[in-house]
Amino acid sequence: MSNALRIDGKEKAAEMSEQITAQTAELLEKHGLQPGLAVVIIGEDPASHVYRRNKKKRAEGCGFHSVQHTLDAGTTEANVLALIDELNNDDKIHGILVQLPLPDHLDEQTITQSISPGKDVDGFHFINIGKLTSGNTADAFVPCTPAGCMLMIQDHLGTNLSGLNAVVVGRSNIVGKPMASLLLQAHATVTICHSRTKDLPGVVRRADIVVAAVGRANMVTGDWIKPGAVVIDVGINRIETTVDGETKSKLTGDVEYESACEVAKAVTPVPGGVGPMTIVMLMANTLRAARLSAGLDG
Ligand code: GUN
């Protein structure tokens, strides 16, 4: 029997989006300022273009100035850097995002570090990473996926996570590491696990909060979950399933949802959990960037 609460990221993202839309209208009316978001995408990766379209739709829905630049997969690093330089100097643009992954010949670090820290709505610049890890978040940009996960965790457990064990599975710069920093800042006791962790199920079983961000379909099963834990599933994996003899492709997370629900207090579904929150946090970061650029509170 399934006991857990389904954490509805889609609904929460829609509510937040309404608030951002209202705040954007107010910013325009009172200060003549319209938040501007530029999304740069290189090449034709279909999944990346789906994300790009979703970001554009949401940005326009919030009332932002939204621009998109699609560069050829074979474009040079100099071209990409020239475009970022132009956007860094464009007063109408407050947030810049270069969609990852990049084609192999482009250096991710050179490109992400060329974005002005004040327009780095992905939170990938070393200045923003340093601010987050040192706890100086007043004007830092926090990566969108962990920021969205944190809001969902706080909805269920409050803002003070003192005494709780949090286990983050995955050590990426985009999710695992910033997620651990946020949890630590909220006073959780944090463990980061990865492919070389010994007895991963045993470590996860001690967690009051589990964040799974490894990219392996259904890896975390119900027997890994501590009764009453809050489980956040960051994975978006496309798998093939057979329904009535027909092979179909479907999205699934890193957590086996049904079995986790038998044990956990609350679990995010895939799709409809973390994904919509990531996009709305990008809008929140862009609105914040616009406000901070005008000397207003972020
Ligand atoms: N590709 C997958 N997730 C992300 C993200 O959060 N930001 C960027 N720029 N690219 C991504």
Side-chain angles (χ1 to χ4, degrees), residues 55 97-101 122 124 145 174 278:
K55 285 167 185 165
L97 177 143
V98 178
Q99 186 68 38
L100 302 178
D122 255 331
F124 294 166
T145 300
I174 299 186
T278 294

Side-chain angles (χ1 to χ4, degrees), residues 145-214:
T145 300
C149 293
M150 201 60 198
L151 290 184
M152 293 193 284
I153 291 168
Q154 289 177 338
D155 275 352
H156 292 274
L157 297 169
T159 52
N160 185 342
L161 306 177
S162 297
L164 298 179
N165 288 328
V167 170
V168 179
V169 189
R171 56 172 157 178
S172 71
N173 291 328
I174 299 186
V175 183
K177 288 179 199 163
M179 188 72 240
S181 294
L182 288 170
L183 289 161
L184 192 58
Q185 210 180 326
H187 312 296
T189 301
V190 183
T191 305
I192 306 181
C193 300
H194 46 79
S195 56
R196 300 185 192 199
T197 298
K198 205 166 133 184
D199 186 21
L200 181 58
V203 179
V204 174
R205 244 174 242 129
R206 291 198 292 273
D208 304 296
I209 301 162
V210 181
V211 180
V214 272

Side-chain angles (χ1 to χ4, degrees), residues 261-272:
C261 281
E262 285 171 19
V263 191
K265 172 181 170 187
V267 185
T268 61
V270 176

Side-chain angles (χ1 to χ4, degrees), residues 7 38 58 61 74-75 88 102-103 107 114 130-131 150 159 182 186 195 199 209 221 227 236 275 290 295 298:
I7 303 177
R58 186 63 88 177
T75 196
N88 279 340
L102 296 172
D107 183 54
S114 72
K131 284 180 176 175
M150 201 60 198
T159 52
L182 288 170
S195 56
D199 186 21
I209 301 162
T221 47
I236 303 178

Side-chain angles (χ1 to χ4, degrees), residues 10-28 35 58-59 61-64 151 155 277 280-281 283-285 287-288 291:
K10 197 173 164 188
E11 187 181 293
K12 185 171 177 63
E15 282 164 19
M16 286 186 61
S17 190
E18 270 181 35
Q19 290 166 7
I20 292 170
T21 306
Q23 289 163 8
T24 298
E26 192 187 317
L27 188 65
L28 186 60
R58 186 63 88 177
C62 287
F64 292 0
L151 290 184
D155 275 352
M277 287 300 291
V280 83
M281 292 316 295
M283 304 308 142
N285 277 353
L287 172 63
R288 189 148 174 267
R291 293 183 59 87

